[in-house]
């Protein structure tokens, strides 16, 4: 896959996390959504962006689950008051109008929610 970052590949190779396999699968599937999706290491975890803006970052600090943060960049944007996004999946726990998390409790949980999650990420990349 041409949009894979060697830095992220190296990071994941050396990663010790109970969800390492799930992280690798989701990484590949997120990158496969669109060749314009980029990745880097941000907040000591894989992060994915589109059109020059970070959008989706894995939070690897909890080890009892895999947490994915949906955001619109590192800083709160001026247009946050008017921002709207319909979460048709019901997967997002909203922390603010334009920032939320999706959590997977196990590999089976991630597999059950995978299609809805990928549709969510595909839409989120473009907001």
């Amino acid at each position: 896959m041409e949009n894979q970052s060697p830095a992220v590949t190296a990071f994941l190779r050396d990663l010790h996390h109970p969800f390492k396999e799930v992280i690798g699968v989701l990484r590949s599937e997120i990158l496969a959504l669109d060749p314009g999706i980029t990745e880097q290491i941000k907040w000591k975890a894989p992060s994915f962006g589109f059109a020059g803006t970070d959008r989706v970052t894995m939070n690897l600090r909890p080890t009892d689950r895999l947490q994915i943060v949906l955001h619109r960049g590192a800083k709160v944007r001026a247009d946050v008051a008017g921002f709207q996004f319909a979460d048709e999946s019901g997967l997002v726990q909203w922390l603010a109008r334009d920032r939320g998390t999706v959590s997977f409790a196990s590999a089976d949980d991630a597999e059950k929610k995978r299609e809805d999650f990928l549709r969510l990420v595909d839409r989120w990349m473009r907001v």
Side-chain angles (χ1 to χ4, degrees):
M1 200 171 301
E2 290 185 26
N3 54 347
Q4 281 189 348
S5 160
V8 176
T9 299
F11 176 87
L12 292 177
R13 181 188 60 237
D14 298 334
L15 179 66
H16 299 288
H17 193 282
F19 285 80
K20 181 176 181 171
E21 186 175 329
V22 175
I23 291 164
V25 168
L26 291 178
R27 172 202 185 200
S28 295
E29 291 179 335
I30 289 169
L31 291 173
L33 291 171
D34 190 297
I37 294 174
T38 59
E39 67 175 351
Q40 65 175 329
I41 298 299
K42 177 179 182 166
W43 303 330
K44 298 182 183 178
S47 185
F48 306 91
F50 190 75
T53 302
D54 292 326
R55 299 289 184 173
V56 176
T57 302
M58 294 181 176
N59 178 1
L60 303 181
R61 284 176 296 217
T63 57
D64 63 335
R65 66 191 178 282
L66 174 59
Q67 187 176 64
I68 314 289
V69 180
L70 306 179
H71 55 92
R72 297 193 309 148
K75 297 179 183 178
V76 175
R77 293 173 35 160
D79 64 349
V80 69
F83 179 77
Q84 293 182 349
F85 182 84
D87 172 23
E88 298 159 356
S89 71
L91 296 175
V92 182
Q93 178 182 2
W94 293 105
L95 307 172
R97 290 184 72 98
D98 66 346
R99 188 174 303 266
T101 60
V102 175
S103 294
F104 301 113
S106 66
D108 288 341
D109 186 39
E111 179 57 33
K112 283 186 237 175
K113 297 174 180 174
R114 185 176 60 80
E115 287 183 33
D116 288 338
F117 173 72
L118 292 171
R119 277 193 296 274
L120 170 72
V121 168
D122 192 41
R123 288 182 50 238
W124 183 259
M125 286 290 179
R126 289 152 180 67
V127 298

